[in-house]
Amino acid sequence: MLLLWVVNMADQNKTDTEGKLFSEILSPSELFAARSRSHKIPVRGQKDFFPNDSDEQRQRLEQSLNEHWSLISEERVERLGNLVKAIWIPSDQIVELQSPAGKFWQTMGFSENGKQYLLPEEALYLMECGNVQVFYRDLPLSIQDGYERFLSSATVSLQQYQVFGHLKRLGYVVHRFDPSSEPSSYARQLNLPQSRDRAGRQLKRKRSPSPTATCSYTEAPVEPTVEKMEEDKCSLEGDHVKKLAASPDIQTATTSGSDEGRSWWTTDDLGASDKELHHSPTSRSSRWDFSSIPFPDVGSSERHPSCLAPPEPSLLPGDLTVGVCDIASWRRKINLRMVKMSSKEQKREEDKRRRRWDVNKDREVRRCRNWAEYHELLARRQRKRKGRPAHLWNREVTPLHDPRQPIPTGELLDKISVIKSTHLLEGASRLKGSEEWRICFNVYQPDTVADFKKSNPGKPYSRMCVCSFDGPVPDLRVIKLLAFQSGDIPVVFAVVDHGDISFYTFKDFQLPTDVFP
Amino acid sequence: MEESPSMDDHQDSSLVVGVGLCDSAPLLWRLQDLKTVRSLGLVGALLGSLPRTPRQNQRLGRPLLLLPEEEKLLRDEEAAGDVGGVELQRRFEEDQQRSFEEQSVLALEDRKSALLRAMTSSHTDEALRRRLEALDHSFTFPQSAMAVQLSTARAGLSYCPEARAHLQANWPIREQNSPRSDARCQVFRDLRGRGFFLTSAGKFGGDFLVYPGDPLRFHAHFIAVCLMLDESVCLLDVLAVARLGSNVKKTVLLSNQRLSDSAAANALSWSLCPTSLRLEGHEVKQTHQSLVFSVIID
């Protein structure tokens, strides 16, 4: 037998023989007086950072707390004529309306067998708004009863209801998601042509920027918004124009380098190695003493020994010895002038050359032991001339692309790419559904409420998947699965954390390539 | 039954708070329970619409959701009782009828006083009396005009201190104890014991937001991240959470447990004292290359 303890006395407490009841019931006079209640909520003041033991802080805390309690303690009081009467049917987990529905009927509830019904979460939300009074066994249910009876794993969980309520209070229209009523991908294909244009796809995703709405201390937004934090690699809106700056930079470097390089030997008057060379000092200090390093000008027309002296043995690696270099043959090949011949002369030269040419003089031909090898040699030379040398094309590893074939840059880059780009829905149709991750709600924009039709709601703004920070982060498999189920509507993850809700969504797009089609 | 030092010496400390389970989440519905719990330094989170202005998210109303650590603390101090399943048969119809009658009377009086205010002194008393009489005859107060209450909390029984032990035994077992939840609990108790107020900090990448005083009046100082006894932390994670902390102007508190045998306090049991490693977020920003750790050891 429990002894009861009186905690709160209200006018209407009944005294049983055994003890006192606890209730927060208002008296008729209180109910009557509630008509003239204010409908404004006081603005929160600035918060302090450090607690000191000042009276001022204590006073302000007390004031804040009192304000807090007075707001929290207020009970919902409504005019009976404004309330819609309904009853809770536990066997069907549904709420049946007993009086005609109000304005909310445009976006909530459904009809069946001539009766109007509300889903449990819709009924609970309307109870909290003070629009509907739900009865069970002829007694009105309190909000607590509603929470405890209507929310369960069979209907809608508490976390899902938190998200539902949050979005409804912002003005969105929220319906349960039914995967079977979504058109299949084939049906979608028939009705909605997929755009292949990459730029087009980027433009389609443009949405107005949305300010935050989940922080509890921000100002009340004028139009309802949803906070999205996007986890993607890098964002790209519109086209970038990137200059291929690599090659021009290199070119300028070499030219500047060679300019500087040319300076040190053009100023020399070069001659024999034993000549003392003097030159103007270079702008850049270097460790080389160029005055003592001979750089013979092989191309000069001056009289010049036809042999180059061997380099100093100390400069050579190991015990490499280099003899004198005979440059006579090379000198004959430079400083040549193009001879302009008449056509008759040209023909004569060609005949002479042809008569002189003997295939047998070719060393490689001599190495061929039979006709087959000779043909092979000819074919090899042919290929080399035509740009397909054997050492590249006749082995196990061949070049990625034949340079003789024309190819657009984009395709060439695709050939080179080591990582093939993919899109989110690739392979998604093969994935089996999972129990723990599923889309809960369709969310429709609030400005469509005026002409919203329950029978034909149109495309949702987004779809919600409710999870919590305690649970696992959705992996790629889950994201693919949900994106596939959702079709072309983005899936938003509503992460519930003890009263705070954060919204996250993943964007699928292609990384840019330096190609201009 | 000894009271733990964290409880205020308050008249409320003898009360038991009624916790309703909704979808296995601990919710508080009664105003007095919310006040009691606040006086113990537990903040919780409000989930419901505010009755005065239901269509906004800035200020929410009852119920109050408790953190698992808060619920455990209440249960350990035997200050929580399960209110589930208690239904009272009120004489609803009669109550409604009585309320209607009283409200009609009040409405008539209200109308009369409004009439009196509107009448000027030029009218004679006779005219006034006639008007009031007419009002008496013609006045109707329709049923639909009656004000009706939609109760937030369910009317029920309240519990006395002697019933505590009985309630404790009947508490439904829901959670499984994991090392992680134990670590969180220990850190919660320790910080609460030092007088801090704690709320959930999932949005900030941590376990708790630590306030030096009541969250209604003060900004949070710390983000507490709970580490388990033998857990090794990757330096990159430490850096990431420190950077996050500096962005939101809060200090990150890496807290873990250290078993200590404090024979003086309690001869028969182990007590767990967390060791907190404080990482100054803004110091990370200033000294780009080196991390400065300031360690608090107790």
Side-chain angles (χ1 to χ4, degrees):
Chain A
M1 181 87 72
L2 284 174
L3 288 172
L4 301 180
W5 188 268
V6 175
V7 174
N8 193 7
M9 292 281 281
D11 292 355
Q12 284 212 331
N13 274 343
K14 308 249 176 316
T15 49
D16 297 356
T17 50
E18 272 157 355
K20 305 230 189 260
L21 291 178
F22 163 83
S23 68
E24 288 164 340
I25 294 178
L26 300 172
S27 67
S29 50
E30 286 173 318
L31 288 173
F32 191 75
R35 296 179 316 163
S36 45
R37 243 191 235 160
S38 161
H39 280 274
K40 285 213 206 69
I41 30 176
V43 174
R44 277 200 237 254
Q46 279 279 19
K47 293 216 269 195
D48 297 321
F49 201 72
F50 277 115
N52 48 45
D53 275 322
S54 67
D55 279 329
E56 195 195 339
Q57 271 192 358
R58 221 196 320 273
Q59 243 179 343
R60 273 199 287 207
L61 174 62
E62 213 180 291
Q63 194 192 350
S64 293
L65 273 175
N66 286 340
E67 194 181 272
H68 181 71
W69 295 131
S70 75
L71 275 179
I72 302 288
S73 64
E74 265 182 18
E75 290 285 313
R76 292 168 178 84
V77 176
E78 294 292 328
R79 217 172 145 269
L80 189 60
N82 293 347
L83 285 174
V84 175
K85 193 160 178 274
I87 55 170
W88 165 243
I89 304 173
S91 52
D92 296 328
Q93 300 278 290
I94 210 85
V95 169
E96 183 187 319
L97 296 184
Q98 306 264 282
S99 61
K103 256 201 304 190
F104 61 81
W105 191 249
Q106 188 170 18
T107 55
M108 290 194 265
F110 62 97
S111 296
E112 211 173 272
N113 301 330
K115 295 195 197 159
Q116 293 180 318
Y117 294 97
L118 283 173
L119 291 170
E121 67 270 18
E122 295 173 330
L124 185 56
Y125 171 72
L126 289 169
M127 278 169 70
E128 288 202 276
C129 286
N131 295 127
V132 166
Q133 193 178 26
V134 183
F135 286 81
Y136 179 58
R137 292 190 185 149
D138 299 325
L139 287 178
L141 293 175
S142 62
I143 309 290
Q144 178 176 2
D145 289 319
Y147 267 76
E148 290 176 4
R149 288 175 194 277
F150 297 177
L151 303 181
S152 68
S153 48
T155 54
V156 154
S157 75
L158 177 65
Q159 285 182 349
Q160 289 169 348
Y161 178 70
Q162 276 179 259
V163 175
F164 179 85
H166 180 94
L167 293 170
K168 292 288 308 173
R169 286 190 283 267
L170 289 173
Y172 288 94
V173 177
V174 185
H175 285 171
R176 282 197 197 172
F177 174 74
D178 178 15
S180 59
S181 68
E182 290 300 311
S184 71
S185 57
Y186 180 60
R188 265 186 252 126
Q189 257 179 306
L190 294 177
N191 296 332
L192 308 164
Q194 298 277 8
S195 104
R196 296 232 172 271
D197 183 24
R198 242 184 261 145
R201 207 195 305 166
Q202 281 165 5
L203 287 169
K204 241 207 291 187
R205 284 267 184 270
K206 232 178 220 152
R207 258 185 230 115
S208 53
S210 38
T212 65
T214 53
C215 176
S216 50
Y217 298 122
T218 50
E219 300 300 313
V222 176
E223 66 266 339
T225 52
V226 171
E227 176 180 47
K228 286 194 202 298
M229 279 170 62
E230 290 148 329
E231 274 186 43
D232 42 22
K233 303 140 207 163
C234 60
S235 65
L236 176 71
E237 292 291 321
D239 288 316
H240 280 311
V241 177
K242 260 203 203 144
K243 282 206 268 289
L244 293 172
S247 29
D249 281 343
I250 294 172
Q251 276 171 14
T252 48
T254 46
T255 44
S256 59
S258 51
D259 272 326
E260 280 198 321
R262 222 177 271 141
S263 63
W264 52 258
W265 69 274
T266 47
T267 54
D268 288 343
D269 38 351
L270 301 162
S273 52
D274 52 307
K275 204 168 177 189
E276 247 322 85
L277 302 165
H278 58 89
H279 58 87
S280 51
T282 56
S283 52
R284 215 181 32 213
S285 66
S286 72
R287 346 181 237 114
W288 300 91
D289 180 15
F290 294 117
S291 56
S292 60
I293 302 172
F295 287 95
D297 181 8
V298 183
S300 77
S301 46
E302 286 177 6
R303 253 188 38 82
H304 194 83
S306 57
C307 301
L308 286 180
E312 257 187 73
S314 62
L315 296 173
L316 297 172
D319 46 343
L320 182 71
T321 51
V322 176
V324 166
C325 182
D326 182 11
I327 54 169
S329 65
W330 292 106
R331 293 196 73 220
R332 277 198 291 275
K333 290 184 186 172
I334 58 176
N335 285 335
L336 298 176
R337 199 169 32 94
M338 184 84 175
V339 175
K340 272 211 165 73
M341 294 186 286
S342 67
S343 57
K344 224 204 265 182
E345 282 182 321
Q346 275 177 0
K347 212 166 157 293
R348 216 187 306 139
E349 282 294 310
E350 206 166 311
D351 285 338
K352 220 193 293 177
R353 194 162 46 85
R354 212 181 287 139
R355 268 185 268 119
R356 259 190 279 145
W357 176 67
D358 182 4
V359 66
N360 291 314
K361 282 196 189 150
D362 193 329
R363 212 168 0 149
E364 285 195 323
V365 172
R366 277 209 292 271
R367 260 190 264 135
C368 298
R369 291 167 296 171
N370 51 39
W371 279 105
E373 285 183 14
Y374 180 64
H375 281 302
E376 217 179 288
L377 173 67
L378 285 183
R380 214 178 331 127
R381 283 193 177 155
Q382 175 89 344
R383 276 199 303 266
K384 201 197 282 195
R385 227 188 332 202
K386 289 276 160 60
R388 283 185 74 106
H391 66 274
L392 287 181
W393 291 95
N394 286 3
R395 304 258 184 91
E396 312 90 38
V397 180
T398 58
L400 201 56
H401 178 71
D402 188 349
R404 298 174 301 166
Q405 305 291 348
I407 185 171
T409 320
E411 282 182 38
L412 184 60
L413 285 177
D414 277 340
K415 273 190 163 184
I416 295 171
S417 70
V418 174
I419 304 168
K420 287 259 177 285
S421 66
T422 178
H423 58 92
L424 185 63
L425 293 176
E426 192 172 303
S429 53
R430 292 189 302 250
L431 294 171
K432 291 282 185 304
S434 82
E435 271 311 304
E436 46 173 323
W437 292 101
R438 56 182 193 85
I439 301 174
C440 306
F441 300 118
N442 291 334
V443 178
Y444 301 87
Q445 282 275 37
D447 48 2
T448 61
V449 163
D451 25 54
F452 186 84
K453 284 197 173 17
K454 281 185 292 191
S455 50
N456 183 20
K459 256 167 94 169
Y461 174 66
S462 69
R463 301 197 213 263
M464 287 286 149
C465 176
V466 178
C467 49
S468 92
F469 282 121
D470 298 329
V473 179
D475 54 15
L476 183 61
R477 185 183 174 282
V478 168
I479 298 171
K480 272 186 192 268
L481 177 72
L482 295 180
F484 181 69
Q485 280 180 0
S486 171
D488 50 355
I489 314 284
V491 173
V492 175
F493 290 88
V495 187
V496 181
D497 170 45
H498 284 98
D500 270 336
I501 308 178
S502 313
F503 297 94
Y504 297 89
T505 188
F506 295 92
K507 254 192 185 173
D508 178 35
F509 70 107
Q510 305 287 325
L511 287 174
T513 50
D514 276 335
V515 175
F516 308 102
Chain B
M1 190 172 359
E2 77 177 87
E3 290 195 335
S4 88
S6 71
M7 251 155 98
D8 293 327
D9 207 2
H10 209 263
Q11 58 179 18
D12 292 327
S13 60
S14 59
L15 290 173
V16 175
V17 153
V19 177
L21 288 178
C22 166
D23 195 18
S24 70
L27 298 180
L28 294 182
W29 290 94
R30 305 177 185 180
L31 182 71
Q32 190 51 54
D33 291 342
L34 269 78
K35 284 186 175 173
T36 305
V37 143
R38 193 71 172 225
S39 70
L40 293 174
L42 305 178
V43 180
L46 291 168
L47 299 186
S49 306
L50 191 69
R52 187 183 275 204
T53 44
R55 285 180 172 88
Q56 46 82 32
N57 282 313
Q58 268 60 53
R59 290 187 102 133
L60 297 177
R62 287 177 278 167
L64 187 82
L65 174 67
L66 295 174
L67 288 172
E69 292 77 33
E70 291 172 334
E71 187 199 347
K72 191 162 185 298
L73 200 129
L74 284 175
R75 274 178 36 217
D76 289 347
E77 285 160 18
E78 296 180 340
D82 184 13
V83 279
V86 176
E87 277 178 52
L88 299 169
Q89 293 293 334
R90 290 184 295 138
R91 291 189 290 265
F92 177 66
E93 293 294 333
E94 291 168 20
D95 290 347
Q96 289 288 86
Q97 187 56 33
R98 193 145 58 82
S99 176
F100 175 67
E101 284 161 8
E102 282 190 44
Q103 283 188 44
S104 332
V105 169
L106 288 167
L108 181 57
E109 276 174 29
D110 187 56
R111 213 41 121 69
K112 283 184 179 172
S113 51
L115 192 65
L116 281 168
R117 281 197 301 272
M119 299 280 268
T120 59
S121 56
S122 62
H123 290 90
T124 61
D125 280 341
E126 181 59 36
L128 183 63
R129 195 179 58 77
R130 236 180 297 135
R131 289 286 282 275
L132 288 173
E133 237 178 66
L135 199 59
D136 267 327
H137 289 298
S138 65
F139 178 76
T140 50
F141 186 66
Q143 187 86 2
S144 61
M146 179 173 81
V148 154
Q149 175 185 1
L150 301 160
S151 299
T152 312
R154 180 171 54 236
L157 305 171
S158 63
Y159 303 97
C160 66
E162 285 76 25
R164 276 187 194 185
H166 176 76
L167 293 167
Q168 187 64 13
N170 286 345
W171 192 258
I173 300 165
R174 289 163 9 251
E175 69 206 36
Q176 307 93 359
N177 281 337
S178 67
R180 173 127 184 83
S181 64
D182 282 342
R184 279 176 60 115
C185 252
Q186 292 310 319
V187 173
F188 185 89
R189 275 165 185 279
D190 178 74
L191 290 172
R192 176 83 278 284
R194 292 169 201 256
F196 291 106
F197 287 69
L198 294 120
T199 57
S200 186
K203 271 203 307 195
F204 290 89
D207 285 300
F208 302 112
L209 270 184
V210 185
Y211 294 82
D214 196 298
L216 276 178
R217 276 254 54 98
F218 298 102
H219 289 292
H221 278 181
F222 303 109
I223 303 169
V225 177
C226 302
L227 304 170
M228 290 184 286
L229 205 53
D230 296 323
E231 193 180 343
S232 63
V233 186
C234 169
L235 185 62
L236 286 178
D237 292 338
V238 173
L239 287 173
V241 79
R243 177 61 72 183
L244 198 153
S246 74
N247 272 356
V248 295
K249 297 185 183 52
K250 300 188 201 306
T251 307
V252 177
L253 208 63
L254 299 174
S255 314
N256 69 351
Q257 312 156 259
R258 179 167 53 84
L259 277 172
S260 82
D261 186 8
S262 58
N266 192 328
L268 296 171
S269 67
W270 295 96
S271 74
L272 298 159
C273 327
T275 303
S276 302
L277 183 76
R278 193 170 64 157
L279 196 66
E280 291 291 331
H282 65 271
E283 284 179 43
V284 173
K285 224 183 355 184
Q286 281 166 10
T287 68
H288 298 278
Q289 298 309 315
S290 62
L291 281 175
V292 179
F293 288 77
S294 57
V295 179
I296 312 166
I297 302 175
D298 45 324

